[in-house]
Amino acid sequence: MLARLRSGARGAIDHVARRSGVAATTRGVSAAATFDSSKLTTTAASPTVPPPNEALVGKFGKIFTDHMLVIDWDAQDGWGAPAVVPYGNLDLSPAAMTLHYALQCFEGMKAYRGADGAIRLFRPDLNAARMNSSLTRLQMPNFEASHFVECLKALVKADAAWVPEGDGHAAYLRPTAIATDPFLGVGVPQRAKLFCIMSPVGPYYAGGFDPIAVFADAQNVRAWPGGSGNTKIGGNYAPTIKPAQDASKATAGKAQQVLYLFGDDHRVTEVGAMNVFVVWKTREGSVELVTAPLDYGDILPGVTRRSVLDLAAADPAGVGVDAAAERAFTMPEVRDAANEGRLLEVFGAGTAAVICPVNEIFYEGASVNVPTGAGAGPVASSLWKKLSDIQYGRTASDWAVAV
């Protein structure tokens, strides 16, 4: 799967202009070039007091730690030395390419503190692979995953006191890469900055593990085959804000996310910024966990998505299913399953919310009810527990990387 993550965006066609003698289809630096984590320096910030867990409620992504990681790159010299420095504003030209042409990508990952006091990152190699895929899509420089992870560890160590303890709590890491050239033109970036900031967080939704309602949208398209939906580039996200607001208005505030559909057959893709899973009984009577495949290039290869599939494949009975599948399925199929009493569960999966149960889908003027009611279904609950036990160190796994 890692190979698919690394190569997922590389087959997409990227027609860009020539600039500074660099061909648009050639990256300005070899994929083997990387920053060196052994050269990392740390400049200590004046420490501030981390907030208590109760102060994190409703503040997801709004509180930041004392330090940040910064690494600069330019086409002539390649990557500079990594540095952990006090958190602060960036010095950026108003002509920077990232501000005009969305030459930017990012990752979302978490550092978890277990009851043993140890801090762990969850499958950071997958985040590194996906970020390199996003960078490749933007014709920006790649890096070696091992150095990336070591630099993140250094940042987490510098702000270890900010990693909260308790299920549902973590330090959210936001690695980001931007093109910093002061140039009003579309072309291959010649300068870039990779940085990472940290934010202590509680549950993504104020209701914690409570289920949400979603609006199935066949009019707005989040991503499409041959596009960039399989990468975490900035341009994928801003256009989803208005559909989410429209969905809320159309349902008198009930829908909290949009379930994006694609094509005349209303193929199910993603829910908000999460991958979506459906649990149903097939007409043959087996219980199947299904999610959209990566084959079309319109689905983000989520780390939580991959982990859910891996857990279900390793022990299907242990999570409450007979089989797990990555294949195309449609919203009419979901509606039919609900009408026939075969629909069991629907949930989103992503780093921020981890597992987010869905109990109602607004579709074509009607409501499709998911029979889990006001709680999470047994499959979602089992997967959430298995993931949490790994993330917080209760279950030993090489997915949990000690800081």
Side-chain angles (χ1 to χ4, degrees):
M1 192 61 194
L2 271 176
R4 292 180 73 181
L5 284 172
R6 290 190 180 100
S7 63
R10 291 174 184 161
I13 299 173
D14 189 14
H15 295 294
V16 293
R18 294 177 179 271
R19 177 164 177 252
S20 302
V22 179
T25 55
T26 303
R27 289 201 297 275
V29 64
S30 166
T34 189
F35 44 84
D36 185 347
S37 58
S38 70
K39 296 181 180 178
L40 182 143
T41 60
T42 298
T43 302
S46 299
T48 56
V49 179
N53 283 8
E54 54 268 24
L56 303 178
V57 177
K59 297 287 187 180
F60 195 102
K62 295 181 179 180
I63 300 171
F64 302 99
T65 67
D66 290 335
H67 295 87
M68 60 192 293
L69 170 71
V70 178
I71 315 170
D72 289 314
W73 174 89
D74 67 59
Q76 180 174 344
D77 299 322
W79 287 105
V84 172
V85 300
Y87 177 92
N89 295 336
L90 301 176
D91 184 2
L92 197 64
S93 166
M97 294 173 72
T98 187
L99 301 177
H100 301 270
Y101 308 109
L103 280 158
Q104 56 195 238
C105 64
F106 63 93
E107 276 299 314
M109 53 198 302
K110 288 178 178 176
Y112 300 86
R113 185 186 297 277
D116 59 357
I119 299 173
R120 300 169 178 88
L121 298 173
F122 183 70
R123 307 192 80 172
D125 55 326
L126 296 186
N127 293 100
R130 189 171 63 183
M131 191 163 197
N132 271 332
S133 178
S134 299
L135 288 165
T136 297
R137 188 67 174 86
L138 298 175
Q139 295 289 274
M140 290 169 69
N142 282 201
F143 50 74
E144 290 183 10
S146 60
H147 289 284
F148 175 75
V149 173
E150 289 304 313
C151 287
L152 295 182
K153 286 182 181 180
L155 174 61
V156 175
K157 288 177 182 177
D159 283 336
W162 286 78
V163 182
E165 186 177 346
D167 279 18
H169 294 78
Y172 186 86
L173 278 70
R174 174 49 61 86
T176 306
I178 59 175
T180 57
D181 307 50
F183 172 59
L184 299 181
V186 180
V188 177
Q190 303 297 293
R191 299 180 190 173
K193 182 184 293 288
L194 189 157
F195 63 92
C196 182
I197 54 179
M198 280 177 54
S199 175
V201 298
Y204 186 73
Y205 293 106
F209 203 43
D210 292 344
I212 64 170
V214 302
F215 178 83
D217 190 339
Q219 300 301 314
N220 294 287
V221 179
R222 190 203 74 87
W224 51 90
S228 58
N230 57 354
T231 61
K232 284 186 78 68
I233 63 175
N236 288 345
Y237 292 85
T240 68
I241 298 172
K242 185 178 184 300
Q245 294 296 307
D246 292 344
S248 179
K249 292 177 183 177
T251 60
K254 293 179 181 178
Q256 293 177 259
Q257 289 286 358
V258 173
L259 177 63
Y260 288 98
L261 309 177
F262 182 80
D264 294 338
D265 59 350
H266 294 183
R267 177 165 57 86
V268 174
T269 61
E270 296 190 347
V271 57
M274 296 181 287
N275 299 116
V276 63
F277 286 83
V278 169
V279 183
W280 55 21
K281 282 186 178 179
T282 66
R283 288 193 168 92
E284 292 71 34
S286 64
V287 177
E288 181 184 53
L289 174 69
V290 63
T291 192
L294 304 181
D295 302 350
Y296 303 100
D298 60 343
I299 300 297
L300 187 71
V303 175
T304 310
R305 173 190 182 276
R306 180 70 263 155
S307 302
V308 165
L309 290 169
D310 288 345
L311 289 170
D315 183 16
V319 302
V321 301
D322 295 311
E326 297 175 75
R327 63 174 177 81
F329 65 100
T330 67
M331 190 58 212
E333 288 181 80
V334 176
R335 179 178 56 193
D336 289 348
N339 291 339
E340 296 167 12
R342 295 185 294 106
L343 181 63
L344 303 177
E345 299 182 39
V346 179
F347 59 88
T351 297
V354 187
I355 299 292
C356 178
V358 173
N359 65 357
E360 186 176 14
I361 305 172
F362 295 97
Y363 178 54
E364 293 189 332
S367 176
V368 176
N369 290 309
V370 184
T372 46
V379 175
S381 297
S382 174
L383 288 164
W384 181 84
K385 184 177 187 307
K386 287 179 180 291
L387 287 168
S388 296
D389 284 348
I390 293 171
Q391 290 162 345
Y392 291 98
R394 293 186 290 265
T395 297
S397 171
D398 57 7
W399 291 359
V401 178
V403 171

